[in-house]
């Protein structure tokens, strides 16, 4: 006898799945009980950590990760993390349990209205009309997640798994889906014409260009035309080598400064992101007068929300490689921009340590292939300045902005690609949104170096409140012991009490990062005040 569960497990095997990320609930037990030996259940202690870890794993492997969530409670807990997965372009196949189909009309305990619970963030949602259609729905979810770069949800009533299915009938879903990849076509000539006609072009890159082929194509293009390159604001990943001499920095997040940065350019070519992401609203025009904008992205949603004169839906690597071969070389390339940051001296004895000094110590020691996961909002500009991404996937953050992504995502990134060292830089406030993820990191041998910058408060929120002329109405939480929490969750941890101790520990640990099979958390007290500028 072949059941829906058997057939679905066969689909997952065909897709190369060897693990399921989840936190179990009763409606999922018919699927999870007696899970075969070739499929590992990776446990996280909260659904946000489940999805965060799976997101990191999907980004590391480049293939969809499979997530199991528990009806309304589990899916509801995971919505914020699913939104982050969507904006971070992480393909996920999400199996959501539902109450027994035979009495759903009566809305029994644990029944959920699940098809709209995650809002617009899934790339596809389905609750199959018949139990027999579940395997085909899972196969389609795999293709939808891979194609659109986001979570695809299949809601499965718990009794569906035991329903018999006739394997000779096949599945109403293709085994393999190929996306046609024609030559970029006339759009390349159109964009090349715009670049050739521009007196002072500039490039803006985003997370959609974070792969080796796109980096190589963009470097060829920039070297040919001599243009500066800016990174999108609040990007999930780097779209260009940030140690390249033409890398100019990260775009400002408000209109006034954005206009200032782009002033003097007559064409902005935006690749792998939308034009242009902002944060706090400011009145006035978005762009300076005289600036034309062309956007190239594989994501149609990015194209349609861009302030652009021309939008081209295309694979960034393919398009930019063709573009570099057609655009005219500049006789006088733009001058190279120095990128070496000013030295950061260590603290004077007795002074508090700043996050910037931690970054500077790391900058002297981290290898070029490190995967740096960031969730330290108050010190992110200094992190960008001192720790540039030097390899694809060298920087990973939560483009959606919600906290709780970095800690489990770092574990998933290491689990998905053990060949790359992974370092997560987290604020203590950020870490507390997903601190239970340390248990999973330890349990599954994810050799991440977690550095928690502890100032006992939400420093970025306090700074924003001060800009509005107010004082924070919430208390500090200096009594929280991240070091102790980590140890209680089975994660090795050390509390760092001085800059000298930090340097000694980094000298000991960083050379081991590539081969580590257990996580290590460093709890580093830092000043809550911004780093003093020269």
């Amino acid at each position: 006898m072949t059941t829906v569960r058997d057939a679905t497990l066969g689909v997952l095997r065909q897709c190369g799945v060897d693990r399921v990320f989840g936190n179990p609930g009763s409606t999922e037990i018919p699927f999870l009980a007696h899970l075969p030996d070739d499929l590992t259940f990776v446990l996280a202690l909260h659904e946000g950590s489940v999805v965060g870890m799976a997101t990191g794993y999907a980004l590391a492997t480049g293939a969809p990760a499979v997530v199991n969530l528990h009806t309304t409670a589990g899916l509801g807990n995971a919505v914020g993390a699913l939104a982050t997965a969507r904006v971070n372009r992480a393909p996920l196949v999400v199996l959501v349990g539902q109450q027994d189909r035979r009495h759903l009309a009566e809305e029994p305990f644990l029944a959920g209205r699940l098809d709209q619970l995650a809002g617009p963030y899934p790339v596809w949602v389905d609750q199959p009309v018949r139990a027999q259609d579940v395997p085909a729905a899972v196969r389609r979810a795999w293709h939808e997640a891979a194609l659109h770069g986001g979570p695809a949800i299949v809601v499965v009533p718990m009794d569906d798994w035991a329903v018999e299915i006739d394997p000779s009938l096949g599945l109403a879903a293709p085994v393999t889906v190929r996306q046609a990849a024609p030559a970029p076509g006339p759009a390349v000539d159109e964009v090349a014409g715009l670049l050739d006609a521009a007196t002072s072009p500039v490039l803006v890159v985003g997370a959609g260009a974070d792969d080796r082929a796109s980096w190589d194509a963009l470097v060829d293009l920039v070297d040919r035309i001599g243009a500066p390159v800016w990174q999108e604001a609040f990007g999930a990943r780097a779209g260009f080598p940030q140690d390249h001499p033409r890398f100019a920095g990260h775009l400002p997040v408000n209109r006034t400064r954005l206009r200032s940065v782009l002033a003097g350019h007559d064409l902005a070519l935006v690749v792998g992101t939308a034009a242009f992401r902002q944060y706090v609203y400011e009145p006035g025009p978005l762009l300076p007068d005289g600036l034309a904008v062309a956007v190239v992205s594989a994501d149609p949603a990015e194209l349609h929300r861009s302030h652009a004169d021309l939008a081209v839906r295309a694979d960034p690597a393919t398009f930019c490689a063709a573009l570099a071969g057609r655009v005219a070389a500049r006789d006088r390339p733009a001058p190279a921009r120095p990128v070496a940051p000013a030295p950061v001296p260590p603290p004077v004895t007795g002074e508090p340590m700043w996050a910037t000094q931690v970054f500077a110590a790391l900058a002297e020691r981290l290898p070029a292939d490190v995967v740096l996961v960031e969730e330290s909002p108050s010190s992110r500009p200094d992190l960008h300045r001192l720790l540039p991404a030097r390899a694809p996937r060298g920087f990973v953050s939560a483009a959606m902005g919600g906290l709780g992504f970095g800690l489990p995502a770092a574990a998933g990134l290491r689990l998905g690609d053990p060949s790359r060292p992974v370092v997560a830089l987290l604020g203590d406030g950020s870490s507390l949104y997903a601190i239970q993820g340390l248990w999973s990191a330890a349990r599954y041998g994810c050799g991440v170096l977690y550095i928690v910058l502890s100032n006992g408060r939400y420093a970025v929120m306090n700074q924003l409140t001060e800009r509005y002329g107010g004082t924070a109405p919430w208390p500090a939480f200096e009594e929280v012991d991240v070091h102790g929490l980590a140890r209680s969750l089975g994660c090795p941890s050390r509390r760092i009490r001085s800059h000298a101790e930090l340097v000694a520990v980094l000298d000991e640990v960083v050379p081991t990062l590539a081969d580590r099979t257990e996580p290590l958390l460093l709890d580093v007290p830092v000043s809550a005040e911004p780093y003093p500028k020269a």
Side-chain angles (χ1 to χ4, degrees), residues 39 50 67 98 154 188 209 217 219 224 292 306 330 334 388 408 429 489 498 512:
L39 201 60
V50 169
V67 172
Q98 175 64 290
V154 181
V188 171
V219 167
R224 188 164 178 81
S306 290
R330 302 265 165 168
L489 290 162
S498 68
T512 73

Side-chain angles (χ1 to χ4, degrees), residues 43-55:
L43 175 65
L45 304 184
H46 182 273
E47 288 84 359
S49 292
V50 169
V51 174
M53 197 172 185
T55 296

Side-chain angles (χ1 to χ4, degrees), residues 320-524:
C320 290
L323 187 61
R326 298 191 198 182
V327 73
R330 302 265 165 168
D331 293 333
R332 292 190 303 164
R337 178 184 181 278
V339 295
V344 177
V348 176
T349 302
E351 285 187 350
M353 203 178 341
W354 275 276
T356 304
Q357 291 163 331
V358 178
F359 301 157
L362 286 167
E364 295 175 1
R365 293 164 174 82
L366 291 182
D369 66 339
V370 69
V371 179
L372 193 66
V373 183
E374 177 272 333
E375 200 167 87
S376 178
S378 62
S379 51
R380 191 177 193 186
D382 285 332
L383 184 149
H384 283 320
R385 181 171 59 88
L386 293 167
L387 292 165
R390 292 172 285 171
R393 211 183 340 119
F395 173 81
V396 178
S397 187
M400 179 54 66
L403 300 179
F405 166 78
L407 193 152
L413 284 157
R414 178 68 176 177
L415 194 63
D417 183 2
S419 71
R420 297 276 297 272
V422 179
V423 175
L425 287 164
L426 314 170
D428 53 349
S430 300
S431 73
L432 295 175
Y433 282 88
I435 195 72
Q436 73 283 341
L438 292 174
W439 182 90
S440 299
R443 174 65 177 77
Y444 297 103
C446 304
V448 177
L449 175 61
Y450 291 101
I451 299 179
V452 177
L453 306 169
S454 296
N455 53 38
R457 66 206 70 220
Y458 298 119
V460 70
M461 292 294 99
N462 292 359
Q463 293 166 15
L464 287 171
T465 304
E466 291 172 4
R467 291 178 195 174
Y468 278 89
T471 57
W474 46 81
F477 45 87
E478 295 171 323
E479 66 275 18
V480 172
D481 180 5
V482 175
H483 163 65
L485 288 171
R487 294 182 63 189
S488 74
L489 290 162
C491 177
S493 177
R494 297 167 76 163
R495 181 177 285 116
I496 304 299
R497 301 186 183 278
S498 68
H499 187 267
E501 183 182 3
L502 172 69
V503 169
V505 172
L506 292 179
D507 284 340
E508 172 193 342
V509 173
V510 168
T512 73
L513 288 180
D515 301 317
R516 288 191 70 87
T517 57
E518 68 174 7
L520 174 65
L521 183 142
L522 304 182
D523 185 359
V524 185

